[in-house]
Amino acid sequence: MGPKELVEQFYDYLVQKNEAWSALFSENITFADAGMNINQAGKVAVVNSFNQFLREVEDIRVRQIITENENVCAIVRYDYINSERDKLTQDVAEIWQVKEGKLSSLTIYFDITIFRQFIGR
């Protein structure tokens, strides 16, 4: 499976709410946002971070995927729902690096302040 197909599989699993997505991660995956407010390293830490995030996600739609060698950029629309059942939609740019057939790095670009205010953190 090439880098683009691997990233597409990841999002397909997320949309299906299939926990197989974590098997696509390398053991030493890193996950950060552009401002380094989020900075996780290692599969266990990244999976835990994703699981926490996914609790607030109601819907996921991949809008565009751009690939260059082992680098993949996905533009993803997330619909969030908070504890008061309010909804927020956000487009996020997610930059993946693939190494040895596994997702090895993710940097996300989005407004974390609005997200945290909405979720109440």
Side-chain angles (χ1 to χ4, degrees):
M1 185 177 331
K4 180 180 180 185
E5 293 79 18
L6 189 63
V7 170
E8 288 172 334
Q9 183 67 72
F10 172 80
Y11 291 112
D12 286 345
Y13 286 154
L14 286 187
V15 168
Q16 298 168 20
K17 301 189 186 291
N18 177 340
E19 294 184 16
W21 54 264
S22 65
L24 303 175
F25 290 168
S26 70
E27 288 301 318
N28 49 356
I29 188 170
T30 60
F31 170 49
D33 72 316
M36 298 302 283
N37 294 295
I38 301 167
N39 190 10
Q40 301 291 328
K43 187 172 183 175
V44 171
V46 174
V47 167
N48 288 339
S49 183
F50 265 81
N51 280 328
Q52 182 178 353
F53 168 74
L54 291 172
R55 282 185 232 135
E56 281 92 23
V57 174
E58 183 177 62
D59 191 34
I60 301 167
R61 292 176 306 286
V62 177
R63 299 173 51 94
Q64 185 175 14
I65 292 183
I66 304 163
T67 306
E68 182 177 294
N69 302 317
E70 293 188 334
N71 299 305
V72 180
C73 174
I75 307 300
V76 183
R77 176 163 287 172
Y78 289 98
D79 292 334
Y80 310 113
I81 190 160
N82 65 15
S83 59
E84 297 172 10
R85 310 299 294 164
D86 295 324
K87 294 184 181 184
L88 172 69
T89 298
Q90 218 175 22
D91 286 337
V92 179
E94 302 186 345
I95 310 298
W96 293 92
Q97 288 186 327
V98 176
K99 291 184 182 168
E100 299 175 5
K102 294 283 187 175
L103 300 173
S104 65
S105 173
L106 172 62
T107 304
I108 60 174
Y109 296 83
F110 76 120
D111 190 332
I112 196 168
T113 303
I114 288 174
F115 173 77
R116 286 185 170 165
Q117 288 172 346
F118 177 76
I119 297 303
R121 288 191 215 147

